[in-house]
Amino acid sequence: MAKTPSDKLYRLVKSLSPTEKRYFKIFVGTKIEGDKKYSQLFDLIDSAAVFDDEFFKSKIYKSQISESKKYPELKAYLYDLILKCLQSFDEKQSVEARLNHFLQSVSALFKRGLYDDCLELLAKAAKIAKQYEQFSHQIDIIRWEKQLAYTRMDVDFLHKELERLNDEETRALERLQNEAQFRQSFFQVYTTIKKEAVHRNDDRTARLRSLTGLGGFEPPKDGQPIFVDADSALSHRARVTYYRTLNLYYYASQDQENFYESGKKLIQLIESQPHFLKENLSDYIASLSNLILSCGLLHHYDEVRDCLEKLKNLPPQTEDDRRKIHRQYFTGKLVLCIFTGEFDEGRVEMQQHLVESIKIDPHEIKTASFYFQYFCICFGCGDFDAALDYLNQWLNQPRSVEREDLQSLARILSIIIHFEMGNVVLLESLLRSTTRYLQSKHRFFELEKRFLHYISELLRTTSPQQKRLIFSNFYKEIEPISSHPEVQNTLQTFDLLAWVESKISGKTFAQTVRERLTVDGARQTIGA
């Protein structure tokens, strides 16, 4: 069987920004004068809309069959050449790359006995490493300082400076370990939350508390930092991780006020040291996204708009930044339109998102729950066919890691949309299958039980007056429990109370959402 051609060179070329492509042309200008095939292949791939290895080979070698056997070597060489180019490019952009370059240069100079030049480079590297909290590089720099003094038999230097160097090395090690511990806690909390984003499980909540030592539980016994205050974090980056973990914990605990307050402190902390943003935007993007969510939950919509503008205007440093800004901006903007009932504006934003999403990996659309937001926007606009289509696209996705909370929500929304469309026969089947699914996943909670019960009652009557009465009884039962923290976070993207109320009043869903927002800021929402 013929081996499938590798597309990794194609993917690498396509990942380059226009600036990186220009840099590559300059970088390899003198390297490929003798053989233009490397340049030709790069240009071919750059201009190609799809990967077609045979086409590339035929264009490069034409009728030179014997020469075409060298094509795999040509691809491998060009791939390595691009990587070398990117390393050179990153040295000008990345602090870590610059420090690595300094240390490699020190090694080269040391081998040639140019010790004074080594010290000059180490002094520059030490200043940068300290400013950007590059603790592992600080340790390497101190090691080189000791090695240079030993090699030169500079006993006087060691006598005067050894204690200082040892203290600096110890502090760097402590900060490196401290940062690693906070990062470990963050990822443990993050993984626990992402496993099931909506927590109505006491065991999971207890696990989150035990990971942080918050909420009256004993702190971890394995050397993890105790989340008592920010002073336990020994560096700026550790403090950022401390507040990020705290922020996630309050989100999962449905503590909306502390989720909001910790989010504001986190943003203030990150913005207080702007030079770190030149190195890493990822934490800032995630923190802005969480602040947008917390502001939305507390109906601070002006703050939501301010944060969205910050997010939209961020200059991405990496392809990952670009994807995250795209995803988080549109997530926040669409949810804002859903919360405020501005569904027509949401439809415009949705169309813009669909246009821009062509440049994004389709996986981003699936994992970011945009299908639920599309559903809500279309539902609010009264376009039930489009709403159902987007919901079915979610349900028909293949999954590796299942989000059971979203799958459960999708089945509830499916019942609502089919009820709106009058698909009575299908609804009876959906009620049975949804009940079985929720029971099998241990997600048959009080809200879901009452919802399915009243939908069943609605299917047994054709009287408009009787249906209005059933909806009224349904509203009276779910309105009190909708304020419970364990239910509140389950009802986040779709406003179930507004839908029930619209059925009682006879007004449109969109009109009801807007009126509820105006009359009573304490809206209960459902979210993905």
Side-chain angles (χ1 to χ4, degrees):
M1 181 184 291
K3 187 177 179 181
T4 303
S6 170
D7 66 344
K8 71 176 188 177
L9 174 62
Y10 177 84
R11 289 185 285 107
L12 178 61
V13 173
K14 289 299 184 181
S15 73
L16 302 179
S17 68
T19 303
E20 290 168 337
K21 290 174 184 176
R22 286 193 296 271
Y23 188 84
F24 176 78
K25 293 288 187 179
I26 296 169
F27 180 82
V28 301
T30 58
K31 291 180 172 58
I32 60 176
E33 286 297 320
D35 191 342
K36 297 294 184 181
K37 289 185 176 63
Y38 302 117
S39 181
Q40 291 171 20
L41 180 57
F42 182 88
D43 291 338
L44 272 172
I45 293 174
D46 185 30
S47 61
V50 295
F51 172 69
D52 188 340
D53 217 38
E54 286 301 318
F55 172 76
F56 299 149
K57 182 164 68 173
S58 66
K59 294 293 286 187
I60 294 293
Y61 293 103
K62 299 181 174 63
S63 58
Q64 303 171 13
I65 298 175
S66 60
E67 285 292 308
S68 69
K69 294 179 181 178
K70 299 178 181 178
Y71 181 61
E73 296 176 13
L74 177 71
K75 288 172 63 180
Y77 182 85
L78 180 57
Y79 187 87
D80 289 340
L81 200 58
I82 294 172
L83 288 182
K84 289 176 183 176
C85 166
L86 291 177
Q87 290 168 17
S88 174
F89 181 84
D90 286 345
E91 281 181 9
K92 297 174 173 54
Q93 312 293 324
S94 164
V95 165
E96 188 170 353
R98 284 167 61 196
L99 288 171
N100 287 336
H101 176 72
F102 275 133
L103 292 173
Q104 288 168 1
S105 298
V106 167
S107 179
L109 292 168
F110 179 81
K111 290 176 182 177
R112 288 152 183 84
L114 301 173
Y115 304 133
D116 288 340
D117 295 342
C118 288
L119 288 172
E120 184 179 331
L121 287 182
L122 286 173
K124 293 179 181 179
K127 185 177 179 180
I128 295 171
K130 181 178 180 181
Q131 182 184 10
Y132 287 93
E133 296 185 345
Q134 294 288 329
F135 302 121
S136 60
H137 286 94
Q138 284 181 339
I139 293 167
D140 286 337
I141 291 165
I142 292 167
R143 178 179 61 81
W144 270 112
E145 288 186 71
K146 291 179 180 178
Q147 181 64 42
L148 281 166
Y150 173 76
T151 301
R152 301 173 76 175
M153 294 184 287
D154 192 347
V155 178
D156 186 54
F157 173 85
L158 288 174
H159 178 71
K160 292 178 180 178
E161 302 295 335
L162 185 59
E163 186 175 352
R164 175 186 64 82
L165 291 174
N166 287 339
D167 287 344
E168 288 181 1
E169 187 174 33
T170 299
R171 284 198 299 273
L173 283 166
E174 286 175 349
R175 282 158 173 72
L176 188 64
Q177 184 180 20
N178 181 257
E179 185 181 326
Q181 287 174 327
F182 274 97
R183 192 164 53 246
Q184 182 181 1
S185 290
F186 169 80
F187 280 112
Q188 286 178 325
V189 171
Y190 175 83
T191 304
T192 301
I193 290 171
K194 286 297 180 182
K195 185 84 173 182
E196 182 180 346
V198 179
H199 292 275
R200 287 189 284 173
N201 183 305
D202 291 339
D203 290 340
R204 289 179 181 270
T205 303
R207 171 166 166 73
L208 286 171
R209 289 171 174 169
S210 69
L211 287 171
T212 59
L214 290 168
F217 279 67
E218 287 295 319
K221 303 297 185 184
D222 56 358
Q224 296 272 33
I226 301 172
F227 283 73
V228 177
D229 56 51
D231 291 339
S232 57
L234 302 179
S235 63
H236 172 76
R237 293 199 300 190
R239 282 190 292 276
V240 167
T241 308
Y242 164 85
Y243 278 111
R244 288 193 70 199
T245 309
L246 206 62
N247 194 233
L248 281 176
Y249 168 77
Y250 287 130
Y251 162 73
S253 303
Q254 293 99 40
D255 187 342
Q256 294 180 2
E257 280 293 340
N258 278 318
F259 180 41
Y260 169 69
E261 292 297 336
S262 61
K264 282 207 305 183
K265 288 178 182 177
L266 175 57
I267 292 297
Q268 290 167 2
L269 176 63
I270 293 174
E271 291 178 347
S272 72
Q273 301 283 346
H275 62 282
F276 282 99
L277 291 177
K278 297 176 183 177
E279 277 298 290
N280 177 21
L281 269 181
S282 180
D283 291 351
Y284 188 51
I285 294 168
S287 302
L288 273 176
S289 302
N290 282 347
L291 184 57
I292 288 168
L293 174 58
S294 68
C295 290
L297 291 171
L298 295 174
H299 319 299
H300 298 168
Y301 296 123
D302 287 340
E303 289 185 65
V304 170
R305 293 183 179 92
D306 290 343
C307 290
L308 284 171
E309 280 304 303
K310 282 185 180 182
L311 195 58
K312 187 177 182 180
N313 294 323
L314 277 179
Q317 296 170 355
T318 66
E319 178 61 22
D320 184 57
D321 289 344
R322 186 177 73 85
R323 289 198 304 267
K324 285 179 177 175
I325 291 169
H326 167 92
R327 181 176 70 243
Q328 302 300 350
Y329 169 76
F330 279 106
T331 296
K333 186 66 176 180
L334 292 176
V335 169
L336 176 64
C337 292
I338 292 166
F339 273 37
T340 58
E342 300 297 332
F343 294 106
D344 290 334
E345 181 184 350
R347 193 72 179 258
V348 173
E349 291 288 340
M350 185 183 108
Q351 294 303 326
Q352 182 62 32
H353 180 247
L354 287 167
V355 170
E356 293 188 21
S357 295
I358 295 172
K359 307 170 189 175
I360 304 292
D361 186 337
H363 183 69
E364 295 287 325
I365 307 300
K366 297 171 183 176
T367 58
S369 308
F370 279 113
Y371 288 132
F372 285 92
Q373 292 162 19
Y374 294 168
F375 168 89
C376 293
I377 293 292
C378 293
F379 188 93
C381 291
D383 189 349
F384 298 140
D385 288 331
L388 179 60
D389 181 57
Y390 286 123
L391 193 60
N392 284 336
Q393 286 186 53
W394 164 264
L395 287 168
N396 292 334
Q397 288 182 90
R399 291 173 182 79
S400 54
V401 179
E402 295 201 357
R403 279 285 303 276
E404 291 180 357
D405 58 312
L406 293 186
Q407 291 194 50
S408 301
L409 176 60
R411 283 160 172 78
I412 297 297
L413 295 180
S414 181
I415 290 172
I416 290 174
I417 194 69
H418 283 293
F419 181 88
E420 288 286 2
M421 298 174 79
N423 299 329
V424 176
V425 175
L426 181 58
L427 274 170
E428 293 175 350
S429 173
L430 278 175
L431 285 171
R432 290 192 296 271
S433 63
T434 300
T435 300
R436 287 195 301 270
Y437 177 83
L438 294 174
Q439 289 174 335
S440 69
K441 298 298 182 180
H442 306 291
R443 299 194 59 82
F444 203 35
F445 302 114
E446 193 63 31
L447 180 67
E448 287 83 350
K449 289 177 183 177
R450 297 186 189 194
F451 172 80
L452 295 174
H453 167 74
Y454 279 104
I455 293 294
S456 297
E457 281 201 4
L458 286 165
L459 294 182
R460 288 195 287 268
T461 182
T462 58
S463 166
Q465 293 84 2
Q466 187 64 25
K467 285 185 177 181
R468 190 173 292 113
L469 178 60
I470 292 171
F471 272 114
S472 180
N473 291 334
F474 182 28
Y475 187 92
K476 289 175 184 176
E477 285 203 20
I478 64 170
E479 199 276 335
I481 67 169
S482 64
S483 61
H484 294 178
E486 68 273 11
V487 174
Q488 219 172 33
N489 228 22
T490 307
L491 308 177
Q492 256 175 24
T493 293
F494 185 78
D495 194 333
L496 181 61
L497 283 175
W499 179 67
V500 176
E501 190 174 314
S502 72
K503 299 318 231 177
I504 298 169
S505 67
K507 296 177 181 178
T508 66
F509 174 71
Q511 184 180 357
T512 305
V513 171
R514 289 193 293 271
E515 287 179 358
R516 283 168 58 79
L517 180 65
T518 303
V519 174
D520 183 5
R523 302 171 55 234
Q524 307 304 320
T525 52
I526 299 189

